[in-house]
Amino acid sequence: MANKNFINNDFADVVLNRHSVKKFEKGFKIPHSELLQMVQQAVRAPSAINSQPWHFLIVDSDAGKEKLDEFMVGPDKALSKGASATIIVLGDTKWYRKDHFDKTYEHYPKEASDFFHKMLDWWVPQLLDSSKDELGSGMDEMLAVNNAIVTMQFVLIARAHGYDANIADDFKREGLVKAFGLDDDRYKPMLFFVVGKADPKEIPEKTYRLPAADVTTFA
Amino acid sequence: MANKNFINNDFADVVLNRHSVKKFEKGFKIPHSELLQMVQQAVRAPSAINSQPWHFLIVDSDAGKEKLDEFMVGPDKALSKGASATIIVLGDTKWYRKDHFDKTYEHYPKEASDFFHKMLDWWVPQLLDSSKDELGSGMDEMLAVNNAIVTMQFVLIARAHGYDANIADDFKREGLVKAFGLDDDRYKPMLFFVVGKADPKEIPEKTYRLPAADVTTFA
């Protein structure tokens, strides 16, 4: 079934020929039904104990873009205006709440559900006190890691749908969540990406990467 | 050319049928040449101003695994022992150093190189003083985001090579970098993943994801 969704199912082309695209076909809108399908495919990405600590604020209306413009800075103002949609990836700082976590684990056998709830009771207090966190560096870094992972998968999913994207994290975070009517005690802006149909007149240059041997140590 | 590298070039299968695999074929080793090829493909992932702030510590020797075992905790001890390789993703806290950054930008036209060096001079002081960071939340979060992005792409690349993986971040970070003879002033353990040939006897269950509409807001 999945294949049917993808205009481009060539893994090598989708992944290795991905570029950060900054110029998009003006006025082209991705249907909300397709954006939701892309979200559902993107969230197949893994997350710590399947916490799914993310929320996608998809800004594609004129009113939404105008509101968002106040939070965009420098060249990203034009980037957001010109794209089909700007997707603000919000970290869900309350992912462990029953109304989120239990919705996932009610689909699991009781033993599995019980196990993950035990994990939750053990881990969350540590996350909220990063000085005591054995797993990482507290909630902020947990959200940064898990939201970046789903964003990378989202960008590749977009390519398979025939779109291109550009990830950025240069924007004014303060007040953004509230401005869009969401709970700013709960959601924290992590990063964003723009998505749309690449302007065919733009041929993005393949940027250089260091040789693998320079960034690899075998042991 | 890329296609030739991939046993599985079916994007939908690689991405949507990915599972966190914890049991691998015993004794199977991925050749270092192929691991380096996988690194080169993984690092096509984007990074902030193409900083490539990552280093891959690939532990696959018996001696390396024994050393690593001291830093693994709980069930991940078995995970690391049973996998073909454990890859510790290290954040390069000194990615802006000439010996790293300039190696990339010497491949760019002068104007582009000059632009990115100006970005560097403006941004790095902010990153190192997170209270002044306009872009995000300082170097730790910048490294967390960029290293998670390359890790997600690496895991999908591994699938296209016919392998499976499991990302984790539950391990003892202190002393790890030094134990493997790397510069612990420079490299910071971010997360790790194990990779290998999935044990065919293990059929990983497709874990549940929340409906897209629950984690999406349109504006």
Side-chain angles (χ1 to χ4, degrees):
Chain A
M1 75 82 199
N3 280 277
K4 280 205 255 66
N5 303 327
F6 297 130
I7 284 175
N8 184 358
N9 197 52
D10 179 339
F11 180 85
D13 182 58
V14 168
V15 176
L16 300 182
N17 295 330
R18 184 207 54 78
H19 305 282
S20 292
V21 169
K22 293 174 161 52
K23 289 250 171 71
F24 300 94
E25 277 187 25
K26 292 267 172 295
F28 175 79
K29 280 244 180 295
I30 303 171
H32 284 193
S33 57
E34 187 177 16
L35 284 163
L36 283 171
Q37 187 184 56
M38 288 160 66
V39 168
Q40 202 70 71
Q41 293 163 338
V43 298
R44 289 305 318 162
S47 61
I49 68 170
N50 199 11
S51 51
Q52 305 170 61
W54 44 59
H55 192 88
F56 303 95
L57 173 60
I58 302 182
V59 181
D60 67 348
S61 70
D62 292 345
K65 285 183 175 188
E66 198 173 308
K67 193 182 292 181
L68 187 62
D69 192 57
E70 302 162 27
F71 300 95
M72 292 284 131
V73 296
D76 290 344
K77 275 180 176 285
L79 193 61
S80 175
K81 277 181 181 150
S84 183
T86 300
I87 302 183
I88 312 288
V89 185
L90 303 172
D92 182 351
T93 65
K94 307 277 173 67
W95 59 264
Y96 50 82
R97 269 171 38 164
K98 288 196 161 298
D99 61 358
H100 179 96
F101 195 78
D102 287 7
K103 271 191 185 172
T104 294
Y105 285 99
E106 75 192 7
H107 295 266
Y108 283 59
K110 185 174 184 317
E111 314 71 54
S113 177
D114 290 349
F115 169 78
F116 281 104
H117 280 86
K118 277 201 191 70
M119 279 288 296
L120 193 68
D121 297 338
W122 169 77
W123 188 27
V124 171
Q126 296 183 44
L127 272 178
L128 298 176
D129 177 356
S130 56
S131 65
K132 291 201 181 64
D133 184 19
E134 291 174 15
L135 296 192
S137 305
M139 185 65 87
D140 286 351
E141 196 161 309
M142 180 272 188
L143 291 176
V145 166
N146 288 277
N147 282 263
I149 281 172
V150 76
T151 297
M152 184 68 238
Q153 177 143 320
F154 207 138
V155 162
L156 296 177
I157 291 289
R159 291 260 308 156
H161 279 255
Y163 305 121
D164 280 289
N166 183 68
I167 302 172
D169 82 344
D170 178 4
F171 63 112
K172 294 180 197 148
R173 287 159 168 76
E174 195 168 349
L176 187 153
V177 171
K178 202 167 198 161
F180 284 91
L182 293 169
D183 179 356
D184 60 357
D185 283 337
R186 177 164 190 166
Y187 300 111
K188 182 194 173 197
M190 304 304 297
L191 66 169
F192 75 90
F193 61 99
V194 291
V195 60
K197 264 207 168 82
D199 181 339
K201 293 189 298 298
E202 288 284 313
I203 301 110
E205 216 179 301
K206 192 156 189 166
T207 56
Y208 179 78
R209 296 297 189 271
L210 296 166
D214 287 13
V215 294
T216 305
T217 300
F218 288 102
Chain B
M1 74 83 199
N3 281 277
K4 279 206 255 62
N5 303 327
F6 297 130
I7 286 174
N8 184 358
N9 197 52
D10 178 339
F11 180 83
D13 182 57
V14 168
V15 176
L16 300 182
N17 295 330
R18 182 207 56 77
H19 305 281
S20 292
V21 168
K22 294 174 160 53
K23 289 252 171 68
F24 300 94
E25 277 187 27
K26 292 267 171 296
F28 175 80
K29 279 243 181 295
I30 303 172
H32 284 194
S33 58
E34 187 176 16
L35 284 163
L36 283 171
Q37 187 182 55
M38 288 161 65
V39 168
Q40 202 69 70
Q41 294 163 338
V43 297
R44 288 305 318 164
S47 60
I49 68 170
N50 200 10
S51 50
Q52 304 170 61
W54 44 59
H55 191 90
F56 303 95
L57 173 61
I58 302 182
V59 180
D60 67 348
S61 71
D62 292 344
K65 285 183 175 190
E66 198 171 308
K67 193 182 292 180
L68 186 62
D69 191 58
E70 302 162 27
F71 300 95
M72 293 283 133
V73 296
D76 291 344
K77 276 181 175 283
L79 193 62
S80 174
K81 276 181 181 150
S84 183
T86 301
I87 303 183
I88 313 288
V89 185
L90 303 172
D92 182 352
T93 65
K94 307 276 172 68
W95 58 265
Y96 50 82
R97 269 172 36 167
K98 287 196 162 302
D99 61 357
H100 180 96
F101 195 78
D102 288 7
K103 271 191 186 172
T104 294
Y105 285 98
E106 74 193 8
H107 294 266
Y108 284 59
K110 186 175 184 313
E111 313 71 51
S113 177
D114 289 349
F115 170 78
F116 281 105
H117 280 86
K118 277 200 191 70
M119 279 287 296
L120 193 69
D121 295 339
W122 169 77
W123 188 27
V124 171
Q126 297 183 46
L127 272 179
L128 297 176
D129 177 358
S130 56
S131 66
K132 291 202 182 64
D133 183 20
E134 292 173 13
L135 295 191
S137 306
M139 184 65 87
D140 285 351
E141 196 161 307
M142 180 271 188
L143 292 176
V145 166
N146 287 277
N147 281 264
I149 281 173
V150 76
T151 297
M152 185 68 237
Q153 176 143 321
F154 206 138
V155 162
L156 296 177
I157 291 290
R159 292 259 307 155
H161 279 255
Y163 305 121
D164 280 289
N166 183 71
I167 302 172
D169 82 343
D170 179 3
F171 63 111
K172 294 180 197 150
R173 288 158 168 76
E174 194 169 350
L176 188 153
V177 171
K178 201 167 200 160
F180 285 91
L182 292 169
D183 178 355
D184 61 355
D185 283 336
R186 177 164 191 165
Y187 299 112
K188 182 193 173 197
M190 304 304 298
L191 65 170
F192 75 90
F193 60 100
V194 291
V195 61
K197 262 207 168 81
D199 182 337
K201 292 189 298 301
E202 287 285 311
I203 299 111
E205 216 179 302
K206 191 155 191 167
T207 56
Y208 179 78
R209 296 296 187 274
L210 296 166
D214 286 14
V215 294
T216 305
T217 300
F218 287 103

